[in-house]
Amino acid sequence: MEKFRWAYIGSGSIANSTAKDITRGNHKITSVYSRNSQKAKAFADKYGAFAYDDFDRAVNRDDVDGVYIATPHTSHIDYAIRAMRLGKPVLCEKPVGVSLKEVDSVIETAENENIYFCEAMWTWFSDVALMVKKWVQGGEIGDIKDVEINYAFPGILMPKTSRLLTAETAGGALLDIGIYPITYCYNLFGTPKNIKCNGKIKDGIDIAETVILEYNGFKCTLNMSLCRLKENCIIKGSKGTVSLPAFFHMASKAILKNKKGKQIFSGKTDYLTEFTRVAQEIRQGKAQSDYIPFAATKSCMQIMDECRRQMNLVYPFEMK
């Protein structure tokens, strides 16, 4: 099969990470657009692509099969909508937007244009997470009793100018890392019946929070922080447990313990798997992903909107 050809929007760290991974497989980067022409050219030269300082020219090429958006999330909506109106399928880095209103606008465009759109949430393209879902929903650990997910990394040690630490680019723990445990719980258990969030805000961003998602008979406790380093997930049931030493970052195994004994499932969580499965769906003519459907993107954004409301977290550009 011919290589799937991508237009890259953005040439920063996540663009370079994905590009390095996917070009090991059946993918090719045809063009790249960035507001920084020097960075765009350096990126394009590295991957044999064409560099552009004009968005439409980078996207509207006959040899572009799909568009990957890897810019700060405050610009996702604009680029995604423009690409889809040019008739190009879109894979957009998480979070798709910074509010449900923004997410609704991009999904509405996808539906109106009848064009594929998907949030780039590599976790749920991974066989590891899909096996966890099979175990949990298949009753391997019985009725769910309690869930705890921790995800933290020392983001506060990054340069002060980092997008992650800047309120003007909607930085902070919730949208950048909290989206992963929130999405994990949503994909396993659906929409919670109640949401509680207690966070710490500094310099206009949330640097840590605990989010409790309440379901019938159990709760998910999610701890997210930019101040420390920790990652794990444990799902306790009436008949056993499922645990992951790393549920997001290159998650490579899940462990099931029940009356049958201990079972370890090994697999990959990588960009190549994500991009390959997205390319397959686009070639199949799908309008949305089976792995990350529109409902998942919308519902998780609703949860994060509620968390922000409870923390009174408003970004500077929302005050204008």
Side-chain angles (χ1 to χ4, degrees), residues 11-74:
S11 55
S13 59
I14 187 63
N16 278 278
S17 295
T18 57
K20 181 180 179 181
D21 207 5
I22 72 169
T23 50
R24 296 187 295 106
N26 201 30
H27 299 267
K28 174 181 173 58
I29 300 171
T30 298
S31 62
V32 57
Y33 163 78
S34 175
R35 291 183 299 175
N36 186 321
S37 59
Q38 290 183 329
K39 287 181 66 176
K41 187 178 186 307
F43 183 94
D45 289 346
K46 186 175 181 179
Y47 294 103
F50 293 94
Y52 291 92
D53 58 7
D54 181 272
F55 177 89
D56 286 11
R57 290 181 62 205
V59 170
N60 201 23
R61 291 174 55 103
D62 291 339
D63 57 356
V64 167
D65 301 313
V67 175
Y68 171 59
I69 298 173
T71 58
H73 35 259
T74 45

Side-chain angles (χ1 to χ4, degrees), residues 157-171:
L157 299 180
M158 299 175 71
K160 297 295 184 181
T161 55
S162 168
R163 171 197 61 76
L164 181 65
L165 302 179
T166 304
E168 287 75 10
T169 51

Side-chain angles (χ1 to χ4, degrees), residues 25 33 38 52 71 98 101 103 147 154 177 208 220 239 243 248 263 273 284 297 299 316:
Y33 163 78
Q38 290 183 329
Y52 291 92
T71 58
V98 300
K101 181 179 179 180
V103 169
V147 178
I177 65 175
C220 299
K239 298 179 180 179
S243 61
F248 153 72
Q263 182 179 340
T273 300
Q284 290 166 2
T297 296
S299 294

Side-chain angles (χ1 to χ4, degrees), residues 135 139-142 237-242 255-263:
W135 284 340
E140 290 290 342
I141 60 172
S238 59
K239 298 179 180 179
T241 63
V242 171
I255 303 164
L256 168 66
K257 293 181 180 179
N258 58 17
K259 63 181 181 181
K260 301 174 187 176
K262 179 179 178 181
Q263 182 179 340

Side-chain angles (χ1 to χ4, degrees), residues 105-118:
S105 68
V106 79
I107 290 176
E108 181 180 347
T109 301
E111 291 174 336
N112 289 341
E113 300 292 334
N114 192 29
I115 199 82
Y116 182 94
F117 176 84
C118 181

Side-chain angles (χ1 to χ4, degrees), residues 228-275:
R228 53 194 175 91
L229 182 64
K230 187 175 183 180
E231 179 182 351
N232 70 309
C233 170
I234 183 163
I235 305 167
K236 298 177 181 179
S238 59
K239 298 179 180 179
T241 63
V242 171
S243 61
L244 297 96
F247 82 97
F248 153 72
H249 190 69
M250 306 296 282
S252 60
K253 68 178 179 179
I255 303 164
L256 168 66
K257 293 181 180 179
N258 58 17
K259 63 181 181 181
K260 301 174 187 176
K262 179 179 178 181
Q263 182 179 340
I264 298 176
F265 178 85
S266 298
K268 284 185 176 182
T269 298
D270 60 358
Y271 297 118
L272 179 56
T273 300
E274 175 189 14
F275 276 66

Side-chain angles (χ1 to χ4, degrees), residues 155-173 199-208 226-227 311-317 319:
I156 57 171
L157 299 180
M158 299 175 71
K160 297 295 184 181
T161 55
S162 168
R163 171 197 61 76
L164 181 65
L165 302 179
T166 304
E168 287 75 10
T169 51
K200 182 178 181 180
I201 297 176
K202 182 180 180 181
D203 298 327
I205 65 167
D206 57 308
I207 60 173
L226 298 180
C227 308
M311 289 189 289
N312 194 28
L313 177 59
V314 181
Y315 302 116
F317 55 84
M319 300 178 189

